[in-house]
Amino acid sequence: KQEVTQIPAALSVPEGENLVLNCSFTDSAIYNLQWFRQDPGKGLTSLLLIQSSQREQTSGRLNASLDKSSGRSTLYIAASQPGDSATYLCAADTQGGSEKLVFGKGMKLTVNP
Amino acid sequence: EAQVTQNPRYLITVTGKKLTVTCSQNMNHEYMSWYRQDPGLGLRQIYYSMNVEVTDKGDVPEGYKVSRKEKRNFPLILESPSPNQTSLYFCASSFLAVGTGELFFGEGSRLTVL
């Protein structure tokens, strides 16, 4: 059974730092891996989706990488800003059609001005 | 604007009083799903639907029902709510083509069962 882990559960950093958020999964047979952002009291917003054939995806200051062989994905946030404060979740797609997304429990990020 | 809309956003009810949480998407997505989010347990899938009239159980389906009579709507029904169903509920949708499953979420419905 696929398990997705995000460590640490929370992180507090000063503004301007470059950050690496980690996501580990136990079964390397995934179709894709998604990173989401969740603001307090809000729904999840998809940030990046990396297909199993890809190694990384980029959007603005965000870069996500995928290493299936080691069961790891990382989300890199460049030059962090207070507006980046949120909970970040990763999810592994084990079936190819979203029906069996397995979510990590998230990492709460606080960027201090 | 592409969106997933849930109603109500907040609801307080009592044990045993049937309720329905509606979910509607305007993106012509085949796939729709319901999740609940609880502190320390993360997001857990309740039910999902691959298309009209096709639904299946997720990880925690007990106490819930769903229906998919139209492509855009996927209501979640609690026939006899209990306090352990107090939670934050999310509806989500996506296209089904393999590898393109970017998931869109609604804003959430916070349910309290007394």
Side-chain angles (χ1 to χ4, degrees):
Chain A
K1 180 184 173 186
Q2 178 75 271
E3 293 182 1
V4 178
T5 304
Q6 293 182 253
I7 296 173
L11 184 65
S12 181
V13 300
E15 181 177 6
E17 283 204 1
N18 298 323
L19 306 174
V20 176
L21 282 60
N22 295 306
C23 173
S24 301
F25 47 94
T26 55
D27 185 352
S28 62
I30 62 171
Y31 284 85
N32 62 55
L33 189 130
Q34 294 187 54
W35 282 92
F36 296 87
R37 169 185 172 137
Q38 185 176 23
D39 293 290
K42 301 284 190 179
L44 282 71
T45 300
S46 180
L47 296 173
L48 289 165
L49 183 154
I50 314 173
Q51 298 182 23
S52 63
S53 58
Q54 299 173 321
R55 293 297 299 259
E56 63 178 60
Q57 282 282 353
T58 298
S59 176
R61 293 183 295 109
L62 304 180
N63 175 277
S65 66
L66 176 64
D67 184 345
K68 288 176 58 179
S69 62
S70 66
R72 290 183 57 190
S73 177
T74 58
L75 179 67
Y76 177 81
I77 303 177
S80 58
Q81 304 170 357
D84 295 328
S85 298
T87 296
Y88 291 83
L89 296 92
C90 63
D93 185 346
T94 60
Q95 298 274 91
S98 296
E99 64 265 35
K100 287 300 180 186
L101 274 184
V102 179
F103 285 84
K105 293 183 179 178
M107 193 210 76
K108 184 177 181 180
L109 174 66
T110 303
V111 181
N112 301 299
Chain B
E1 181 190 353
Q3 58 185 2
V4 178
T5 303
Q6 297 178 224
N7 280 296
R9 294 287 315 282
Y10 302 91
L11 179 63
I12 300 174
T13 190
V14 295
T15 298
K17 185 175 182 182
K18 180 180 178 180
L19 68 91
T20 299
V21 186
T22 63
C23 174
S24 180
Q25 50 92 6
N26 63 0
M27 295 168 279
N28 202 36
H29 286 164
E30 302 94 346
Y31 174 82
M32 297 185 75
S33 182
W34 278 102
Y35 295 88
R36 60 178 289 173
Q37 187 176 39
D38 302 287
L41 297 176
L43 272 165
R44 295 179 292 169
Q45 189 181 48
I46 303 170
Y47 269 95
Y48 64 93
S49 170
M50 306 292 275
N51 215 325
V52 176
E53 302 293 359
V54 180
T55 63
D56 209 344
K57 297 178 181 178
D59 298 317
V60 288
E62 296 78 18
Y64 304 95
K65 286 176 58 177
V66 293
S67 68
R68 187 91 181 273
K69 294 184 171 58
E70 305 165 286
K71 197 171 187 179
R72 63 183 294 130
N73 296 324
F74 190 45
L76 179 70
I77 302 158
L78 286 72
E79 293 272 6
S80 183
S82 62
N84 65 11
Q85 292 178 298
T86 293
S87 186
L88 179 59
Y89 291 87
F90 289 104
C91 180
S93 71
S94 75
F95 287 115
L96 263 184
V98 172
T100 65
E102 182 183 357
L103 205 53
F104 292 81
F105 279 80
E107 290 283 280
S109 297
R110 185 167 293 280
L111 171 65
T112 302
V113 183
L114 302 176

